[in-house]
């Protein structure tokens, strides 16, 4: 079926009308932005008949219009300015916001259809605007102006003063009027106001070479001033009169460049007022205000709800409210307030990485609320830094709402307990007793008092507090106190291992699904590991990961799992080599081990060492590879050396050389650099590159370097040199009080035999035979025994001896580096 031309014409007309309608709904604003000596100028060309309003609120400039407009955000963001940045539209296109230096001097005026906004630097301390260096005030006489000097044309001055003039506009040097055009705060110059926005000794250059679109010069004259030319003429007359009255004025010093704006300090929090007296009534009022508000007020209403939830310590609801507020296109100052609230919720939730938290980045000084949240943010990971503001924080917490105070005191107490800081924990417990004893009826206070008694080495007092908390039978701290009491009685010898296991097993099944189950499982798994029931301990470890790894309690579960994994590794390191438990741990729970391990990878390194000891080199090198790729600096070089050693022992010398090349760097410690050089020589020797291996050993001393050098000579077929090198190595070890290895003695004898040195062969006696007796070289000396002296020399015997020597050489080369 063919489309009719009438349908195509109708469709095209509809599209054109739709485009025209969209254009009519939101007119376009044209803008120019540029920097001058001590101020930045923003010029906005708005539609005819529209009156924009410029307001400064703290560090934010807001330009509001009654109807939605299309603002040129792309061009504004691409233009560089020292004092205007972060342009954002809000209220559906009815406002434009930008970040300005805090305390900047801002002035605005309308010139026909152009809104001109000048942003200067902050006021200089000790210098009043409009005052010269000697303190004499500048005065502008507003009397009848004389004739303009014939050397200066009005048209030329108009063109020079025009902020949106052409690229060929001449620079104009004008003095500062008596009333500074840039006082602190907001100043609007409305249409019809006398005077020109001129400045002393500042060249006014056009920010952009292109003039604004045509039309603004054809607008009707202002209602009060006869024309723009007459207004400029009045300003010029005032300027000339001032120049005549003060011809010998000293020039003002050149203003310093404005520093980049710094984040404003975090203000005090009215948490008690935010919480409200009645929970339900306050929450309904805040939600009702949010539903009725529009534009900026809607964001403010949502911020008020977030503050209410923070004061009530409702972290999950607070994070949801924060996401809602962020989706409402908040202004820059509102975004800053939301970030502060978000950082407070992160501190309340015990975040692991607080370095990007504003409470940590900005100096706290003596501001009480800042010290509270800084200590709470740093407490879980950096207690030494958190306790610096602890006295101020504890005094301020006395005025906090009960729910929030309880949460923050618990966070601080848990951190002090983990760090073993009994003095700080004592201060926190005293405040708990003073203000929150009634609100901590869940055993929390008795639990921390028991922990404090343990830190003070009074176990009987600790058991008394734990039993008092456990008698409540409700709440996680009561059950945590019961688990700790079992562990303490076991460590004191008042409960044997089997009795502890039975008690923990009964607790585990009685508390299934409770918050404390992770601690009970970790304690039970540790008891299994200590008693030798490694299979049961591994099952508990896997259960922690499967049940709690992806829940809200995942962090506590992983902490408990870290404790259990440490106990399992301690048990495996004490067991004889050759078992399967290390391999089972990596094969069944490798991902969970990675989650449980810390940033330094210490637990995975211990597991890799166990795998290497038990002969599972492939799994061990995988772990070491993953650790090496995720680290940098000297630690990467150290892990690379460990991995290279494992690869060399596994016969993968080429991979070891590649690892050493990728993990090296300058500035390593001498011991680590020497260790890596020895590993490189060992890898080259195992890879068959004897010449480069011997060259890599130059300048290296010590027994290991001497051993590698002797092995290199042996591999190269230099039998006499190898015999001498091994002899020197054995003598050096014996002089240092160390025993030479069986390989050293065997290769020394084999080198002497292959070199035909019968005297050296006779030097091997009963002592060497005893050292080689229990090793793989036990029958070597018998093979070296010469034929009977009285018998004739037969060709068959010679051929047999030569074949035996060649076979021994191949055997020695194949055994190098293997147990």
């Amino acid at each position: 079926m063919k489309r009719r031309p009438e349908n195509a014409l109708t469709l095209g007309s509809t599209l054109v009308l739709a485009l025209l309608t969209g254009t009519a709904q939101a007119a376009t604003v044209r803008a120019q932005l540029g920097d001058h000596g001590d101020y930045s100028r923003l010029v906005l060309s708005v539609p005819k008949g529209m009156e924009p309003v410029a307001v400064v609120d703290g560090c934010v400039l807001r330009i509001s219009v009654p109807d939605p407009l299309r603002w040129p955000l792309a061009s504004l963001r691409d233009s560089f300015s020292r004092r205007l940045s972060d342009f954002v539209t809000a209220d559906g296109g009815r406002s434009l916001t930008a970040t300005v230096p805090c305390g900047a001097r801002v002035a605005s005026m309308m010139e026909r259809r152009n809104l001109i906004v000048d942003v200067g630097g902050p006021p200089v301390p000790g210098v009043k605007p409009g005052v010269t260096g000697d303190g004499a005030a500048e005065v502008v006489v507003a009397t009848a102006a004389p004739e303009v000097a014939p050397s200066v044309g009005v048209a030329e001055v108009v063109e020079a003063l025009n902020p949106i003039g052409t690229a060929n506009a001449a620079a104009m040097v004008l003095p500062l009027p008596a009333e500074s055009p840039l006082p602190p705060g907001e100043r609007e110059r409305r249409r019809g106001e006398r005077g020109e926005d001129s400045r002393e000794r500042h060249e006014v250059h056009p920010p952009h070479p292109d003039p604004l679109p045509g039309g603004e010069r054809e607008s009707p004259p202002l209602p009060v001033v006869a024309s723009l030319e007459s207004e400029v003429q009045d300003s010029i007359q005032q300027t000339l009169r001032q120049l005549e009255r003060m011809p010998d004025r000293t020039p003002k010093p050149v203003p310093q460049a404005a520093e980049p704006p710094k984040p404003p300090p975090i203000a005090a929090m009215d948490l008690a007022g935010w919480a409200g007296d009645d929970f339900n009534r306050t929450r309904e009022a805040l939600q009702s205000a949010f539903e009725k508000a529009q534009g900026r007020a809607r964001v403010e209403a949502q911020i008020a709800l977030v503050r209410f939830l923070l004061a009530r310590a409702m972290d999950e609801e607070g994070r949801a409210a924060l996401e809602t507020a962020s989706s409402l296109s908040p202004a820059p100052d509102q975004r800053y307030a939301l970030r502060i609230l978000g950082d407070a919720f992160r501190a309340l939730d015990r975040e692991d990485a607080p370095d990007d938290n504003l409470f940590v980045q900005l100096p706290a000084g003596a501001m009480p609320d800042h010290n509270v949240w800084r200590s709470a943010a740093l407490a879980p990971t950096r207690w030494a830094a958190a306790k610096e503001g602890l006295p101020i924080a504890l005094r301020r917490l006395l005025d906090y709402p009960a729910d929030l105070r309880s949460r923050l005191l618990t966070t601080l107490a848990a951190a002090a307990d983990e760090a073993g800081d009994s003095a700080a924990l004592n201060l926190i417990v005293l405040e708990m007793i003073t203000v929150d004893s009634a609100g901590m009826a869940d055993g929390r206070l008795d639990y921390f008092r028991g922990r404090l008694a343990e830190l003070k080495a009074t176990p009987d007092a600790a058991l008394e507090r734990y039993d008092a908390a456990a008698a409540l039978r409700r709440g996680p701290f009561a059950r945590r106190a019961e688990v700790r009491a079992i562990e303490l009685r076991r460590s004191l010898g008042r409960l044997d291992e089997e009795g502890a296991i039975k008690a923990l097993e009964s607790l585990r099944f009685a508390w299934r699904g409770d918050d404390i189950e992770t601690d009970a499982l970790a304690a039970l798994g540790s008891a299994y590991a200590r008693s030798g029931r490694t299979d049961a301990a591994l099952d508990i470890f896997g259960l922690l990961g499967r049940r709690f790894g992806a829940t809200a309690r995942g962090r506590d579960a992983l902490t408990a799992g870290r404790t259990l994994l440490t106990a399992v590794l301690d048990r495996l390191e004490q067991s004889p080599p050759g078992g399967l438990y290390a391999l089972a741990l990596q094969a069944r729970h490798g991902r969970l081990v990675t989650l449980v391990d810390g940033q330094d990878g210490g637990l995975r390194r211990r597991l890799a060492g166990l795998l290497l000891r038990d002969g599972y080199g492939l799994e061990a090198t995988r772990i070491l590879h993953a650790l090496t790729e995720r680290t940098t600096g000297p630690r990467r070089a150290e892990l690379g050396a460990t991995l290279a050693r494992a690869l060399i022992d596994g016969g993968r010398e080429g991979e070891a050389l590649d690892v050493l090349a990728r993990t090296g760097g300058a500035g390593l410690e001498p011991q680590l650099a020497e260790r890596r050089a020895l590993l490189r020589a060992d890898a080259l020797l195992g890879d068959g590159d004897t010449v480069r291996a011997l060259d890599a050993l130059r300048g290296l001393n010590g027994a290991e370097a001497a051993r590698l050098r002797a092995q290199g000579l042996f591999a190269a077929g230099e039998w006499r040199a190898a015999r001498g090198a091994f002899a020197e190595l054995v003598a050096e070890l014996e002089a240092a009080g160390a025993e030479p290895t069986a390989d050293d003695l065997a290769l020394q004898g084999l080198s002497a035999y292959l070199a035909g040195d019968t005297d050296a062969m006779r030097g091997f006696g009963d002592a060497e035979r005893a050292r080689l007796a229990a090793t793989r070289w036990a029958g070597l000396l018998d093979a070296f025994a010469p034929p009977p002296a009285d018998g004739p020399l037969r060709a068959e015997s010679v051929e047999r001896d030569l074949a035996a020597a060649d076979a021994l050489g191949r055997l020695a080369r194949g055994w190098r580096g293997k147990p």
Side-chain angles (χ1 to χ4, degrees):
M1 179 178 179
K2 295 183 179 180
R3 178 178 296 176
R4 298 180 59 183
E6 295 81 358
N7 294 340
L9 182 60
T10 303
L11 180 61
S13 303
T14 303
L15 292 175
V16 171
L17 288 175
L19 292 175
L20 292 176
T21 304
T23 306
Q25 289 177 355
T28 303
V29 178
R30 298 194 64 177
Q32 290 186 353
L33 178 64
D35 283 359
H36 299 279
D38 62 342
Y39 69 97
S40 300
R41 172 165 289 184
L42 173 65
V43 181
L44 298 175
S45 178
V46 298
K48 186 176 180 181
M50 188 168 290
E51 290 285 345
V53 177
V55 179
V56 178
D57 184 6
C59 306
V60 178
L61 168 67
R62 181 177 298 101
I63 300 172
S64 303
V65 292
D67 299 325
L69 295 177
R70 288 189 296 181
W71 304 92
L73 291 180
S75 62
L76 288 174
R77 290 170 179 171
D78 292 341
S79 301
F80 171 77
S81 176
R82 297 195 306 269
R83 302 174 185 88
L84 286 161
S85 60
D86 298 334
F87 288 92
V88 178
T89 60
D91 301 336
R94 292 181 177 85
S95 64
L96 174 71
T97 61
T99 302
V100 298
C102 298
R105 298 175 296 164
V106 181
S108 63
M109 62 174 292
M110 281 296 298
E111 182 182 313
R112 298 186 180 180
R113 290 170 51 194
N114 300 319
L115 173 66
I116 302 174
V117 181
D118 289 340
V119 180
V124 180
V127 179
K128 294 182 179 180
V131 178
T132 59
D134 56 0
E138 299 176 359
V139 181
V140 177
V141 181
T143 59
E147 294 182 2
V148 183
S151 59
V152 182
V154 174
E156 296 177 359
V157 177
V158 170
E159 199 66 29
L161 291 177
N162 186 6
I164 52 174
T166 61
N168 298 325
M172 192 66 184
V173 179
L174 297 176
L176 191 67
E179 182 183 0
S180 173
L182 296 175
E186 173 194 3
R187 182 177 186 270
E188 288 190 31
R189 179 168 296 172
R190 301 190 177 275
R191 181 176 303 175
E193 184 178 347
R194 305 286 295 182
E196 176 63 18
D197 187 17
S198 58
R199 292 166 180 79
E200 175 188 355
R201 298 184 182 275
H202 292 156
E203 296 183 359
V204 182
H205 297 283
H208 296 280
D210 298 332
L212 286 179
E216 61 273 15
R217 300 186 183 274
E218 300 176 3
S219 300
L222 300 177
V224 178
V225 182
S227 65
L228 177 62
E229 181 174 324
S230 62
E231 180 184 359
V232 176
Q233 183 177 0
D234 292 342
S235 177
I236 295 170
Q237 291 169 358
Q238 295 175 7
T239 300
L240 294 176
R241 176 59 64 102
Q242 183 180 6
L243 290 175
E244 291 175 359
R245 292 174 62 88
M246 294 183 298
D248 298 327
R249 207 173 33 148
T250 19
K252 295 177 64 177
V254 179
Q256 300 292 331
E259 297 182 357
K262 298 180 180 179
I266 299 175
M269 297 181 178
D270 184 18
L271 289 162
W274 295 348
D277 297 330
D278 184 87
F279 175 82
N280 294 326
R281 185 179 302 171
T282 305
R283 186 167 189 173
E284 290 177 1
L286 291 172
Q287 291 177 345
S288 176
F290 172 73
E291 293 172 357
K292 296 177 181 178
Q294 295 293 331
R296 177 181 173 84
R298 187 176 180 86
V299 182
E300 292 293 342
Q302 186 67 12
I303 292 176
L305 179 60
V306 175
R307 289 169 174 166
F308 165 76
L309 296 173
L310 175 64
R312 293 286 182 171
M314 303 175 66
D315 46 355
E316 294 185 5
E317 294 87 346
R319 285 192 295 269
L322 279 172
E323 294 180 0
T324 302
S326 301
S327 65
L328 298 175
S329 300
D333 59 330
Q334 294 173 328
R335 289 201 302 270
Y336 187 71
L338 287 173
R339 182 180 176 186
I340 292 175
L341 294 172
D343 289 344
F345 276 110
R346 289 166 58 194
L348 198 63
D349 198 33
R350 296 176 302 149
E351 62 173 339
D352 291 331
D355 291 330
D356 60 340
N357 195 308
L358 279 177
F359 295 103
V360 177
Q361 291 179 348
L362 299 180
M367 301 177 66
D369 289 307
H370 198 151
N371 279 280
V372 169
W373 295 102
R374 177 183 175 85
S375 297
L378 292 172
T381 55
R382 292 154 54 185
W383 174 248
K387 66 181 293 186
E388 294 176 358
L390 188 62
I392 302 176
L394 291 178
R395 285 196 299 270
R396 177 57 177 155
L397 281 172
L398 294 173
D399 301 328
Y400 273 35
D403 295 335
L404 184 59
R405 180 176 60 241
S406 177
R407 285 282 299 275
L408 293 174
L409 285 175
T410 302
T411 300
L412 295 175
D417 174 25
E418 186 176 355
D421 192 342
S422 59
L425 183 58
N426 187 33
L427 292 176
I428 299 169
V429 168
L430 285 176
E431 181 152 335
M432 288 180 173
I433 296 173
T434 303
V435 298
D436 277 352
S437 57
M440 293 190 174
D442 56 351
R444 185 176 322 190
L445 179 57
D446 283 321
Y447 172 76
F448 284 115
R449 293 181 71 178
R451 294 296 300 153
L452 180 60
E454 275 198 75
L455 291 177
K456 292 183 177 180
T458 55
D460 293 331
L463 284 174
E464 182 180 353
R465 292 298 174 186
Y466 289 148
D467 292 340
L472 298 175
R473 291 289 179 182
R474 61 185 179 86
F477 287 95
R479 296 183 169 95
R480 189 172 284 117
E482 191 169 358
V483 173
R484 187 60 204 154
I486 294 173
E487 290 287 295
L488 184 56
R489 285 190 172 90
R490 185 197 60 80
S491 63
L492 293 175
R494 302 177 186 177
L495 191 65
D496 59 2
E497 202 70 67
E498 291 299 324
I501 290 177
K502 290 180 180 179
L504 290 170
E505 282 179 343
S506 63
L507 294 179
R508 169 195 173 187
F509 293 108
W511 294 345
R512 186 139 195 173
D514 204 343
D515 292 341
I516 192 54
E517 186 177 0
T518 55
D519 291 346
L521 286 174
L524 179 59
S526 299
Y528 283 150
R530 288 191 302 267
S531 62
R533 298 164 62 178
T534 310
D535 287 332
L538 291 180
D539 291 339
I540 295 293
F541 182 68
L543 179 62
L544 281 172
R546 288 193 304 272
R547 290 194 59 191
F548 306 111
T551 65
R553 286 177 286 155
R555 184 186 307 171
D556 295 333
L558 294 181
T559 302
R562 187 179 300 115
T563 303
L564 175 54
L565 180 59
T566 302
V568 171
L569 293 177
D570 290 340
R571 176 66 184 177
L572 293 180
E573 288 173 348
Q574 297 171 4
S575 62
L580 294 174
Y581 289 125
L583 181 62
L585 178 60
Q586 173 61 19
R588 292 163 56 186
H589 311 299
R591 180 177 173 273
L592 184 57
V593 170
T594 303
L595 292 175
V596 166
D597 199 4
Q599 295 293 332
D600 58 347
L603 296 176
R604 280 175 288 174
R605 290 189 66 177
R606 292 179 62 185
L607 179 57
L610 288 170
L611 291 169
L612 287 173
R613 184 200 68 176
D614 296 339
Y616 308 110
L618 181 60
E619 296 296 331
T621 53
R622 286 179 179 175
I623 296 174
L624 293 174
H625 263 299
L627 286 173
T628 304
E629 294 302 323
R630 287 174 173 80
T631 54
T632 57
R635 182 168 183 78
R636 178 181 174 86
E638 183 181 358
L639 284 171
T642 305
L643 175 58
R645 179 75 270 169
L647 292 171
I648 292 172
D649 293 342
R652 299 155 65 182
E653 288 82 1
E655 295 182 39
L657 290 172
D658 182 63
V659 168
L660 290 173
R662 287 188 294 105
T663 59
L668 300 179
E669 295 182 357
Q671 294 181 351
L672 180 58
E674 182 177 354
R675 178 187 170 196
R676 290 175 58 87
L678 291 173
L679 288 170
R680 182 173 179 274
D682 198 357
L684 289 170
L685 188 59
D687 204 30
D689 198 342
T690 309
V691 177
R692 291 178 62 194
L694 294 174
D695 185 67
L697 291 170
R698 290 182 181 178
L700 297 178
N701 300 318
E704 186 62 27
R707 181 177 289 112
L708 290 175
R709 194 175 289 110
Q711 290 177 357
L713 293 172
F714 182 87
E718 300 291 338
W719 313 121
R720 292 186 179 276
R723 182 198 60 77
F726 277 114
E728 292 177 2
L729 172 63
V730 172
E732 181 181 352
L733 291 173
E734 290 178 346
E739 287 290 333
T741 64
D743 289 355
D744 296 336
L745 295 173
L747 291 177
Q748 179 188 358
L750 187 56
S751 300
Y753 179 74
L754 294 174
D757 191 347
T758 56
D759 295 336
M761 289 299 304
R762 294 191 185 96
F764 279 84
D766 295 336
E768 285 75 10
R769 188 182 298 275
R771 289 177 180 175
L772 298 178
T775 67
R776 58 190 177 186
W777 303 99
L780 182 65
L781 295 182
D782 296 333
F784 291 163
D790 54 352
L793 184 62
R794 299 182 180 276
E796 296 84 1
S797 176
V798 173
E799 292 176 357
R800 184 171 59 252
D801 291 343
L802 291 176
D806 184 61
L808 285 172
R810 291 196 303 271
L811 182 63
R813 286 191 290 272
W815 278 355
R816 189 188 65 82
K818 296 181 180 179

